[in-house]
Amino acid sequence: MGFQSLVIIFLLCISMANSDHLKQNKTILQCLTDHSIASPSISSVTFFPTDPSFTSTLQSYTRNLRFTSTTTPKPLFIVVPSHVSHIQASIICCKTHGLEMRIRSGGHDYDGLSYVSKAPFMILDLFNLRSVIVDNGTAWVESGATLGELFYAISQKSKIHGFPAGVCPTVGVGGHFSGGGYGNMMRKFGLSVDNVIDAKLVDVNGNVLDRESMGEDLFWAIKGGGGASFGIIISWKIKLVSVPEIVTVFKIEKTLEQGVTGIVHKWQYIADKIDPNLFIRVVLLPVNKKHLQSIKAKFIGLFLGNGQELSSLMNEAFPELGLSFDQCIEMSWIESILFWSNYPKGTSLDVLLDRQPQQEKYLKKKSDYVQEPISKENLEGIWNKMIELKRPALTLNPYGGKMSEISEFETPFPHRAGNIYKIQYSVTWKDDGVEASGRSLDQIRKLYDYMTPYVSKSPRSSYLNYRDVDIGINENGNASYSEGVIWGRKYFKGNFERLVQVKSKVDPGNFFRYEQSIPCLGSWKSITAE
């Protein structure tokens, strides 16, 4: 057979494949149209790879550049619902065609599980559903809204209300709330989910449920158990919290040469016990310059009170940090959101409505919980390891206060009393390619391994919203109990079994599944019977 004949056969194969894809797309679109009653038509919010807007729609909320490569599996189509019937139709047609559904609200899923799958899948991207209605100390907020949009809407209605949620404005409400939602007011008010009082959800059968109709078990499960295992959460009703008209923030940097070891050591003893109006985060970074290898620590604080009160409190409880009154910056609560997002003072609040991060990176994150203070000697060992590895950073977030008062069984999020602080491990890089990725992943995993003696045990706990597939996955999303329990108890501890029971009741066919979705009871029984 000649070369020309081979070319003709090759082109025929491509043509036939394209023809098959077009037929499949037409069949799926017809299914979506048949089961959707909304105007505008679902066809106007459905994107196939042949559509000019497909790539931009896919990548507009792909926050981790690791998942933008040509080798990353792509969805068969994307639906961006603007009406509940678009969601209902998507469920029906995914079940009809045997497709997995990935549900995305803001795209900050660190390991990309909300928009990547090895199995044939589609993405339901909720960014069109982002209304925020603030009324008399409560708010209904749709899952596709960002935290920035939520904070902005609150600030337009009240100067004395806020909401305890994360400090990154471009995070989507849907994933943030359903995984717990911690922020810099959690020592005073608890997590986001501790202040959720209702929700609207579309279940596997397409029913729209609120708290009363879904029942308390399912309502409990979605408040920290990861909503994407149980249904599609359209919106949340939240209880706003009272904040003073003036709050105070600060940021102080210290290096190894300025006694950072002793300061961090003391921080461990006071950060979870100090006034719950005060939250002090520590960000630890290795410094690797030609003539200097060191550690830099950034102490970032939010105090729900004025500068004079903060200065007095710190002089008494934490004089080692050396916070002076002139380093205390007074501002409104909403302005403190901008400060924590590294915007200069005086920046317009309108930046909170920007749904795109200031920059996107290749990244990997991991997490741990610390329950006993780490000695100065062992802290120095950690600094040496960070300097040796060059890249990974640590962020320490204090617990205590309200977090110690709420039972670990109140919500699926179990990391309450007994935890001094949480560690976030972070590594970012700029270069594309397997080599750069492999090197950075190796660095963060080595630091995580090094930290084993100093963190929680049996299980070594993790935070669901710092999604980490290193701790275990359900192969191909099948969600067997024997696989799920490995990572499930790290995220949920003793609440994992209750989540399994809820999942088995509301989604017995395991339609809502992904690499770390809650497994069903049937797979549990089959394991225990063996």
Side-chain angles (χ1 to χ4, degrees), residues 268 369-375 418 420-421 454:
Q268 294 179 105
Y369 286 88
V370 175
Q371 298 170 335
E372 298 288 340
I374 301 171
S375 71
I420 302 175
Y421 58 95
Y454 313 122

Side-chain angles (χ1 to χ4, degrees), residues 37-70:
I37 59 172
S39 178
S41 164
I42 195 169
S43 62
S44 66
V45 293
T46 302
F47 303 92
F48 293 95
T50 51
D51 295 323
S53 299
F54 176 83
T55 299
S56 61
T57 303
L58 174 62
Q59 293 187 354
S60 60
Y61 291 92
T62 301
R63 300 291 180 231
N64 190 342
L65 295 181
R66 287 171 59 200
F67 304 110
T68 57
S69 72
T70 55

Side-chain angles (χ1 to χ4, degrees), residues 253-263 294-297 320:
E253 294 189 3
K254 298 287 185 180
T255 64
L256 212 51
E257 297 69 33
Q258 294 170 314
V260 84
T261 303
I263 300 171
S294 186
I295 290 290
K296 179 169 68 176
E320 292 83 355

Side-chain angles (χ1 to χ4, degrees), residues 367-369 371 414-415 419 448 455-463 471 489-491 493:
S367 60
D368 261 321
Y369 286 88
Q371 298 170 335
H415 314 294
N419 294 295
Y448 181 81
V455 298
S456 60
K457 299 168 180 63
S458 301
R460 182 176 184 173
S461 295
S462 296
Y463 175 42
I471 67 172
R489 285 188 179 149
K490 295 176 182 178
Y491 286 141
K493 297 173 65 176

Side-chain angles (χ1 to χ4, degrees), residues 413-424:
F413 178 98
H415 314 294
R416 306 284 189 169
N419 294 295
I420 302 175
Y421 58 95
K422 174 176 61 189
I423 300 176
Q424 182 192 70

Side-chain angles (χ1 to χ4, degrees), residues 268-307:
Q268 294 179 105
Y269 286 89
I270 62 99
D272 65 319
K273 299 176 183 66
I274 204 165
D275 187 329
N277 288 296
L278 178 57
F279 183 95
I280 307 173
R281 165 181 283 184
V282 185
V283 181
L284 296 156
L285 303 159
V287 177
N288 285 283
K289 296 181 179 177
K290 190 172 183 181
H291 301 295
L292 177 65
Q293 290 189 320
S294 186
I295 290 290
K296 179 169 68 176
K298 298 179 183 178
F299 295 83
I300 310 160
L302 170 69
F303 178 64
L304 301 174
N306 65 43

Side-chain angles (χ1 to χ4, degrees), residues 173-209:
V173 159
H176 186 69
F177 286 8
S178 70
Y182 91 93
N184 58 13
M185 294 201 296
M186 71 179 188
R187 301 191 63 250
K188 178 70 171 181
F189 299 112
L191 304 172
S192 297
V193 290
D194 297 326
N195 297 276
V196 167
I197 53 178
D198 205 344
K200 291 181 181 175
L201 172 147
V202 181
D203 72 6
V204 69
N205 299 312
N207 301 312
V208 180
L209 309 173

Side-chain angles (χ1 to χ4, degrees), residues 102-103 109-116 467 469 514-516:
R102 297 297 161 117
I103 306 159
D109 189 329
Y110 287 146
D111 273 348
L113 301 188
S114 63
Y115 50 87
V116 177
R467 184 75 71 185
V469 296
Y514 56 96
E515 286 81 356
Q516 286 186 342

